[in-house]
Amino acid sequence: MSGHQLTGAVADSRPEVLVMTPRIPFLLGRLEQAYRVHRFWEAADPASFLSNVGQGVRVVVTNGVVGCPSDVMRALPDLGLVAVGGVGLDAVDLTQARERGIQVTTTPDVLTDDVADQALALLLAVSRQLLRGDRYVREGGWERAEELPLTSRVSGKRAGIVGLGRIGKAIAKRLVAMNMRVAYTGRHQQNDQPYRFIPDVLELAHHADVLIVSSAGGNGTRHLVGAQVLQALGPSGILINVARGSVVDESALVGALQGGRLGGAGLDVFADEPHVPVALRALDNVVLAPHAGTRTVEARREMAELVLANIEAFLAGKVLVSPISP
């Protein structure tokens, strides 16, 4: 039902919200209780849909993957808030948001530990070949005394973190607890952090046994990890990506893995989700996850609560709970 239709004889005067994606557990039902919700993902003709419902929409609710593209934002003249369930902003037109005074919020901190846990899980799964061992047991290889290759120790190895934000710091704490030596690269050195700063990602890859990508996405980091970086990481090196698929040159990654120039990879994100190259799926030294870093009950509940709190604050004219920096 369009937000502009009547229910009985009384018009629905609740604030209007455009929801971009159904992939927001614990949130959609709550939104529909309090607001007039327009479901963008169900529109057969998005342009016509936005022409019909766009005027009056004050809030867009989305996630970090779908975001709020330029054309959607332009079709919403009354838009004042883009509330992102997640921390990714590369799919949100921040330039237009700034020009029009549209506020943007994310859900930091509530997903930090879960994404860091995912990075650690991927690292252990790749280095100890957990999936291969699982198949070996299930398929009877152990009972037949078939040879299984030895795996690699993680403790004591050198880890390089690309992007030492909230998630990068949480990953670093976990690696230190595993007796790994941590270095990082980023836009600038963080003097309050105890880890070694290496200003260039290529130099960091030369230094590291494991390279963990936790940087922001967007044009500024597109293919930051390319063929040269993968070559520097080397045939025994491991790449872990829990950031955005765009940060890694996926074609170069496939080539490095197939050619034995990289030891293994653990990937939670991909260039064209949910489409994952067949070549990656065919490799035993790769562990694949369906962008699942925040897919815990706890994280999704807390994300939903924070999105709702930001919307309520915006509509009440109060200070937002978790706005992004301008």
Side-chain angles (χ1 to χ4, degrees), residues 58-249:
R58 299 192 61 198
V59 177
V60 165
V61 175
T62 186
N63 64 15
V65 176
V66 176
C68 187
S70 304
D71 56 340
V72 173
M73 203 175 283
R74 281 194 297 268
L76 306 174
D78 299 318
L79 182 62
L81 173 68
V82 176
V84 179
V87 295
L89 290 168
D90 43 305
V92 177
D93 185 348
L94 296 178
T95 300
Q96 184 179 166
R98 282 191 292 268
E99 291 172 350
R100 292 176 52 190
I102 298 167
Q103 300 183 80
V104 180
T105 60
T106 57
T107 55
D109 297 324
V110 300
L111 50 77
T112 298
D113 283 331
D114 291 324
V115 177
D117 287 348
Q118 182 80 345
L120 190 61
L122 288 169
L123 172 57
L124 289 170
V126 175
S127 62
R128 299 305 300 267
Q129 298 182 28
L130 294 184
L131 298 188
R132 178 182 284 188
D134 180 85
R135 289 196 303 272
Y136 177 76
V137 174
R138 291 176 188 272
E139 295 171 2
W142 194 12
E143 293 174 337
R144 294 189 296 270
E146 294 175 358
E147 192 68 27
L148 188 68
L150 296 176
T151 64
S152 296
R153 177 185 296 165
V154 169
S155 61
K157 296 290 179 63
R158 296 171 299 182
I161 299 176
V162 182
L164 198 71
R166 288 183 178 91
I167 293 171
K169 291 182 178 70
I171 293 170
K173 286 176 60 177
R174 286 156 172 76
L175 300 181
V176 168
M178 295 175 63
N179 196 33
M180 297 189 77
R181 293 166 285 170
V182 176
Y184 71 97
T185 192
R187 287 174 294 189
H188 55 80
Q189 183 171 1
Q190 301 184 43
N191 293 323
D192 61 338
Q193 296 301 311
Y195 317 113
R196 177 183 173 185
F197 175 67
I198 297 178
D200 180 72
V201 67
L202 182 60
E203 183 182 350
L204 181 67
H206 276 295
H207 166 81
D209 301 303
V210 176
L211 193 68
I212 301 178
V213 183
S214 62
S215 64
N219 291 331
T221 58
R222 179 173 173 77
H223 290 183
L224 179 65
V225 177
Q228 281 189 302
V229 172
L230 298 170
Q231 182 79 25
L233 193 53
S236 62
I238 293 174
L239 175 76
I240 305 295
N241 189 5
V242 292
R244 283 288 183 266
S246 60
V247 182
V248 176
D249 183 337

Side-chain angles (χ1 to χ4, degrees), residues 267-278:
L267 308 172
D268 192 45
V269 290
F270 305 89
D272 184 25
E273 297 175 3
H275 308 292
V276 177
V278 173

Side-chain angles (χ1 to χ4, degrees), residues 39-64:
R39 298 177 169 217
F40 180 81
W41 74 92
E42 292 182 348
D45 182 347
S48 176
F49 175 79
L50 290 171
S51 177
N52 290 332
V53 308
Q55 190 163 1
V57 169
R58 299 192 61 198
V59 177
V60 165
V61 175
T62 186
N63 64 15

